[in-house]
RNA sequence: GGGCCUAUAGCUCAGUCGGUUAGAGCGCACGCCUGAUAAGCGUGAGGCCGGUGGUUCAAGUCCACCUAGGCCCA
């Protein structure tokens, strides 16, 4: 007689070196090293050569700072796309890129080393800064398990790339879509430079607060009884110096306005603000006429001190918080004023020079700074009797971040791409309809933006970027925008980079014999402005044309939903204008990363989670699983609780693989695989379910529905595998003879599911699938990395539809049996379910089905004995007959009858005899 | 203020054309097992479907408004 210890040795218990504990933070770097050493990316390119292409074109992140969770979400999703399409059999190269030029880097560098007069030196520092963060971010992206051509990314500061930018600018000029016009920008009179929004600080500042009268022309048009009366539109302003540039007065179209009599004068203002003005003036006025803003549109007023008209216009931004509801509008001195000016075709006046001094356009102020001009304007207004009231106000006012002095809005010449001159807007709107937008509301969103956007101002008064390749005639100032000259510049940039612009004189770029078309001048000066960085990144589609292994247009762009305004937008315009069509066929967007409560992460809220922390504490795989489980088309949340859930889900999947691998320890697919027709019913059932799952998963990968995949596979692992199939087949796997056909049958099913689930999950659980793949038994054609594999080919279901219905009945009875067994356990009647005998009550067809499968009930219900009786559907629990077999723990009446093995059941005696 | 979007159990997700008592997995509680063991199995409790009003015989689902949140713009 064998004692329990010896008996245990006769069992086929799971055995694998695949560890239960993942230790992801330590293990992942080893797997990354394997991929690097074997040149996985290069090998994949080789293996897929000649296959149809699938191009995901990477939107370049900005080379500034470490990566945050938004980057992680984005790059992991891209990795899902690229890896899954690669496993579908496409040749799917992935070339990452970086956006390297632009203001944020200039600001950072300026903070570090100060402002250098030498632009070449300054740009060199900017370049170093960008290179540093490209390196850092690249390593962080690699750490996430993202596979790509990291050794050879595209950078917007590469000479080749800069040349493409110039060529695309050239294209816009060539088609006559570029024009030069004045536009107001923040301007620091002390530093004599334009400032970007990001360079503005707001501080309190004391300004005059004045009410000014504009005599209304033809007041009878507003109300007949006003004919011949002295009617004034009253405006309020804190910048009297901008009054010389006044061209309009804006009213809100919907607000109520009134004409108020004050002695023999009549004042127009918003009715809700009249009491405020009355209080300022210290006297009451009489309301003599009411009207709404839109009634006054197109009327004219006289400028209070210049011989000029001021048009009454309408604008939605007029508020009733301050002033009179009638807004002084100077298109050269304010962003909103400028927009309104565009709408009404007003001139952009800005009679102020670099130092903030008035030009000869305003003779009586010439040479005075805007600050000096304020009191002079007041004097004139008083003189002309146009100053209704004067006070002082302290308010928040924009200041220069460098010199801390107050800044002004000043119109300067800028380059614009026209949306309508050559039908760019119209063609863009048509092209949008041809693209597949995921989610589909994206189409409406970008459509509305393109439909309503103003002309694109592409010039920036900065130095870290690509120059606009234009020259000006030294003699007459005319711009030289000759395409051939620009092509020459492109060729030079290709060779020397855009630094050359700041090194060489104009003659270096301009072919000999070039003369000014206007005056015949032969001497030129270079443009100082650089191009908007959105134009640069919008040129990235050229990467697809310049790399041999790519095709144009891209199949997919995939970015956060802020990029409807950003990269999707600029890419569409740049590519469409130059190539004639959209650079992408599909655009996928993902949401924002929020904290667990659904709020945006911000430093001030103190709720920021760094990807690095998660990788250190949990592993990049958990981050990948996070991305997989969420519906990324909406905003996604992350916090401790969610990480905890994900870690547990991860462990379950890992353990399921581990258990499968353990049971395949002695299995060689080539030698031991059992033909499908010899599989047991439960094997056929689970494989049918699994094959159906595999088919759905592949379809879902095609449609980028990762969270559905994750849920489906995870549910299959927990419900179908762990708690059903793998639980019920333990008896077969452990207790049957090692080479018994029923055991090999279960192993065959497990092998298929292990192998194919690893392949199906490889794009998501890239690290763990790889690790598990290494522990999977060898078979012919097994690739050294799971990422070189293809998705499993479709296999037919093994059950007929009738058999499937039979399984529904069996599983219904399994539920009943479990409830009954639980009841019995709670009563202390049994412990382990093998102590039980089940009595099934069934009738008709159900009874036939139970009888048909009853030889498998030990397996399906994990009980020692059973009986089927006629009756209403239910299951009862009795004690199993016989004694417990010490080897398989099943109760059997014959245990004790064999004198040699009195502690074993007949089956185990047979198995044991064979072994001994 | 405008454009677009979101809201179902503690968490992540289902919920078809409007149609029975709104589902799943995890987590939680209780129990079993000790041959997947820092595992495995079973049972159970969790829902004002963000709120209000409307359309309808019937609303998680359609409409309007509101609240909370997100991206972009002003």
């Amino acid at each position: 007689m064998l004692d329990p210890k010896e008996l245990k040795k006769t069992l086929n218990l799971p055995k694998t070196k695949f560890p239960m504990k993942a230790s992801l933070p330590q293990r992942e770097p080893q797997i990354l090293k394997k991929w690097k050493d074997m040149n996985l990316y290069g090998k994949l390119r080789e293996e897929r050569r000649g296959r149809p292409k699938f191009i995901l074109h990477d939107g370049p992140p900005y080379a500034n700072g470490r990566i945050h969770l938004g980057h992680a979400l984005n790059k992991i999703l891209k990795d899902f796309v690229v890896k899954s399409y690669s496993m579908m059999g496409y040749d799917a190269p992935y070339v990452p890129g970086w956006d390297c030029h632009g203001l944020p880097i200039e600001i950072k560098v300026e903070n570090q080393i100060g402002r250098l007069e030498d632009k070449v030196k300054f740009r060199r520092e900017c370049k170093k800064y960008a290179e540093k963060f490209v390196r850092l971010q690249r390593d962080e992206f690699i750490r996430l398990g993202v596979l790509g051509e990291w050794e050879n990314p595209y950078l917007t500061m590469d000479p080749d790339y800069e040349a493409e930018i110039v060529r695309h600018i050239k294209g816009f000029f060539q088609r006559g879509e570029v024009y030069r016009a004045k536009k107001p920008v923040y301007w620091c009179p002390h530093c004599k430079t334009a400032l970007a929004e990001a360079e503005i600080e707001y501080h309190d500042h004391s300004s005059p607060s004045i009410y000014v009268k504009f005599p209304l022309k033809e007041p009878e048009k507003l109300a007949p009884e006003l004919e011949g009366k002295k009617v004034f539109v009253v405006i309020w302003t804190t910048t009297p110096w901008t009054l010389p540039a006044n061209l309009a007065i804006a009213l809100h179209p919907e607000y109520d306005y009134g004409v108020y009599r004050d002695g023999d004068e009549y004042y127009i203002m918003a009715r809700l603000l009249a009491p405020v003005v009355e209080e300022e003036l210290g006297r009451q006025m009489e309301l003599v006429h009411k009207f709404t803003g839109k009634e006054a549109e197109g009327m004219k007023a006289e400028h209070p001190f210049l011989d000029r008209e001021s048009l009454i216009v309408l604008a939605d931004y007029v508020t009733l918080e301050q002033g009179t509801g009638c807004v002084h509008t100077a298109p050269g001195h304010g962003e909103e004023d400028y927009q309104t000016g565009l709408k009404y075709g007003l001139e952009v006046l800005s009679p102020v020079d670099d130092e903030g001094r008035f030009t000869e356009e305003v003779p009586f102020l010439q040479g005075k700074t805007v600050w000096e001009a304020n009191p002079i304007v007041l004097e004139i207004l008083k003189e002309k009797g146009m100053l209704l009231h004067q006070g002082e106000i302290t308010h928040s006012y924009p200041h220069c971040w460098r010199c801390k002095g107050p800044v002004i809005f000043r119109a300067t010449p800028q380059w614009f791409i026209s949306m309508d001159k050559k039908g760019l807007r119209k063609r863009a709107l048509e092209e949008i309809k041809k693209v597949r937008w995921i989610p589909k509301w994206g189409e409406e969103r970008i459509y509305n933006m393109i439909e309503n956007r103003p002309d694109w101002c592409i010039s920036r008064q900065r130095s870290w970027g690509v120059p606009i390749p234009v020259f000006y005639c030294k003699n007459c100032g005319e711009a030289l925008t000759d395409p051939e000259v620009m092509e020459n510049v492109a060729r030079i940039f290709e060779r020397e980079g855009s630094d050359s612009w700041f090194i060489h004189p104009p003659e270096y770029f301009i072919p000999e014999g070039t003369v000014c078309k206007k005056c015949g001048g032969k001497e030129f000066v270079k443009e100082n402005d650089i191009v908007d960085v959105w134009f640069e990144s919008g040129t990235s589609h050229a990467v697809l044309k310049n790399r041999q292994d790519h095709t144009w247009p891209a199949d997919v762009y995939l970015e956060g939903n802020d990029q409807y305004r950003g990269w999707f937008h600029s890419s569409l315009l740049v590519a469409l204008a130059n190539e004639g069509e959209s650079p992408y066929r599909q655009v996928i967007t993902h949401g924002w990363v929020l904290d667990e409560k659904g709020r945006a992460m911000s430093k001030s809220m103190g709720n920021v989670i760094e990807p690095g922390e998660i990788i250190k504490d949990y592993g990049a795989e958990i981050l990948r699983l996070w991305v997989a489980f969420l519906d990324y088309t909406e905003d996604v949340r992350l916090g401790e609780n969610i990480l905890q859930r994900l870690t547990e889900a991860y462990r379950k999947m890992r353990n399921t693989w581990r258990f499968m691998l353990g049971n395949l320890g002695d299995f060689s697919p080539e030698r031991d695989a059992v033909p499908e027709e010899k599989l047991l019913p439960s094997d056929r059932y689970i494989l049918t379910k699994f094959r159906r799952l595999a088919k759905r998963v592949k379809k879902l990968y095609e449609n980028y529905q990762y969270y559905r995949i994750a849920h489906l596979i995870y549910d299959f692992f927990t419900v179908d595998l762990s708690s059903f199939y793998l639980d019920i087949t333990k008896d077969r796997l452990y207790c049957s003879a090692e080479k018994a056909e029923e055991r090999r049958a279960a192993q065959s099913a497990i092998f298929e599911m292990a192998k194919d689930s690893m392949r199906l999950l490889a794009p998501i659980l890239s690290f763990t699938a790889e690790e598990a793949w290494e522990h999977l038994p060898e078979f012919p054609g097994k690739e050294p990395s799971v990422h070189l594999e293809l998705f499993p080919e479709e296999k037919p279901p093994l059950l007929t539809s009738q058999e499937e219905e039979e399984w529904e009945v069996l599983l219904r009875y399994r539920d009943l049996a479990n409830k009954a067994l639980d009841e019995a356990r709670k009563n202390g009647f049994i412990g382990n379910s093998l102590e039980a005998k089940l009595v099934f009550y069934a009738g008709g067809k159900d009874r036939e089905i139970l009888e048909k499968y009853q030889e498998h009930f030990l397996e399906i219900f994990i009980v020692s004995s059973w009986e089927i009786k006629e009756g209403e559907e239910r299951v009862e629990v009795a004690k199993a007959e016989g004694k417990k077999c010490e080897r398989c723990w099943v109760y059997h009446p014959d245990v004790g009858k064999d004198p040699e093995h009195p502690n074993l059941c007949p089956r185990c005696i047979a198995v044991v005899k064979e072994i001994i």
Side-chain angles (χ1 to χ4, degrees), chain A residues 527-589:
Chain A
E527 169 64 88
N528 272 319
D529 291 359
I530 60 169
V531 71
D532 177 15
V533 287
W534 285 112
F535 190 98
E536 295 198 11
S537 58
T539 305
S540 71
H541 65 94
V543 168
L544 307 179
K545 287 211 157 148
N546 295 340
R547 299 218 175 197
Q548 293 153 347
D549 58 343
H550 280 57
T551 50
W552 197 100
D555 292 288
V556 181
Y557 278 32
L558 193 177
E559 306 296 333
N561 59 28
D562 54 331
Q563 298 302 330
Y564 288 109
R565 186 76 198 185
W567 192 53
F568 302 145
H569 193 116
S570 60
S571 295
L572 178 67
L573 295 181
V574 173
L576 175 63
N578 285 280
E579 319 290 337
E581 53 179 310
S582 156
Y584 39 71
R585 293 198 175 100
Q586 304 176 82
V587 173
I588 305 173
T589 59

Side-chain angles (χ1 to χ4, degrees), chain A residues 364-505:
Chain A
F364 61 93
L365 292 171
Q366 188 174 355
K368 304 279 188 215
T369 68
V370 297
W371 316 117
E372 290 164 352
N374 273 340
I376 301 172
V377 170
L378 290 186
E379 278 314 305
I380 294 170
L381 286 171
K382 275 184 211 159
E383 215 175 275
K384 302 263 180 187
M386 294 300 171
L387 187 63
L388 182 62
H389 184 73
Q390 168 184 4
E392 194 133 309
I393 187 175
T394 301
H395 59 156
S396 176
Y397 187 86
H399 289 68
C400 173
W401 70 308
R402 270 187 212 109
C403 70
K404 312 297 178 192
V407 302
I408 60 173
F409 245 108
R410 171 179 178 249
T412 56
Q414 305 287 344
W415 289 104
F416 291 86
I417 289 175
S418 166
M419 291 300 296
D420 301 302
K421 249 186 198 169
K422 301 286 170 180
L424 181 57
R425 187 192 316 274
K426 191 166 161 278
R427 283 183 292 140
L429 293 175
E430 281 163 15
E431 210 58 24
I432 284 170
K433 292 179 193 155
K434 297 182 193 161
V435 175
R436 180 187 181 202
W437 300 90
I438 302 170
K440 50 179 182 310
W441 48 255
E443 176 170 341
E444 199 182 339
R445 184 161 173 181
I446 194 166
Y447 191 96
N448 290 344
M449 281 178 186
I450 298 269
E451 194 175 32
N452 296 315
R453 67 155 297 151
D455 284 350
W456 185 0
C457 177
I458 58 164
S459 48
R460 295 289 184 274
Q461 293 68 54
R462 316 291 326 178
S463 45
W464 180 226
V466 172
I468 293 177
V470 167
F471 301 85
Y472 299 98
C473 174
K474 228 175 193 172
N475 182 42
C476 71
E478 178 75 359
L480 175 70
T481 60
D482 190 341
E484 276 155 47
V485 178
M486 291 191 191
E487 181 53 37
N488 207 40
V489 173
R491 277 196 293 267
I492 292 166
F493 282 10
E494 218 159 32
R495 245 179 13 237
E496 305 175 27
S498 64
D499 273 350
S500 56
W501 185 265
F502 302 92
I503 296 167
H504 300 292

Side-chain angles (χ1 to χ4, degrees), chain A residues 2-175:
Chain A
L2 295 170
D3 66 32
K5 258 192 179 166
E6 290 166 309
L7 282 172
K8 193 164 169 176
K9 284 182 196 155
T10 71
L11 293 170
N12 311 295
L13 293 178
K15 213 175 148 186
T16 177
K17 284 181 180 154
F18 183 76
M20 177 176 280
K21 193 164 167 10
S23 310
L24 290 170
Q26 289 78 42
R27 202 180 308 273
E28 285 167 353
Q30 296 167 20
I31 297 170
L32 289 167
K33 186 170 181 301
K34 168 189 167 177
W35 291 338
K36 194 179 176 194
D37 291 348
M38 72 183 286
N39 184 20
L40 177 60
Y41 181 80
K43 218 165 148 58
L44 192 54
R45 292 284 69 72
E46 243 170 71
E47 291 203 6
R48 295 290 185 276
R49 183 170 296 154
R51 298 266 202 160
K53 294 275 181 193
F54 183 89
I55 306 295
L56 179 149
H57 180 44
D58 190 40
Y62 195 65
N64 178 21
R66 308 298 294 258
I67 69 164
H68 52 68
L69 280 172
H71 289 114
L73 170 65
N74 178 257
K75 282 293 200 278
I76 290 171
L77 277 172
K78 283 172 176 163
D79 197 44
F80 290 174
V81 174
V82 171
K83 281 184 177 146
S84 58
Y85 269 81
S86 174
M87 293 186 83
M88 285 175 216
Y90 290 92
D91 182 13
Y94 175 60
V95 174
W98 273 276
D99 193 1
C100 301
H101 290 134
L103 182 68
I105 289 179
E106 281 195 45
I107 290 179
K108 282 274 163 61
V109 170
E110 196 176 323
N111 280 337
Q112 278 173 13
I113 64 165
R115 197 182 188 197
L116 296 180
E117 279 311 312
D118 183 340
K119 279 195 175 180
V120 178
K121 268 190 192 161
F122 183 73
R123 284 167 52 97
R124 198 169 298 146
E125 292 303 317
C126 290
K127 185 171 183 224
K128 272 199 233 162
Y129 183 94
E131 281 169 344
K132 176 184 157 190
F133 282 100
V134 167
R135 271 196 308 278
L136 284 170
Q137 291 190 359
R138 181 194 59 199
D139 292 347
E140 293 178 300
F141 289 144
I142 291 173
R143 181 64 187 80
L144 293 172
V146 178
L147 193 60
E149 200 167 327
W150 296 107
E151 307 314 312
N152 190 18
Y154 76 85
L155 306 180
T156 59
M157 62 182 179
D158 285 338
D160 286 3
Y161 195 108
E162 293 180 330
E164 282 299 339
I165 293 166
V166 169
R167 292 200 173 99
H168 281 81
I169 296 172
K170 179 188 82 177
F172 279 101
F173 271 102
Q174 237 171 339
R175 288 183 306 277

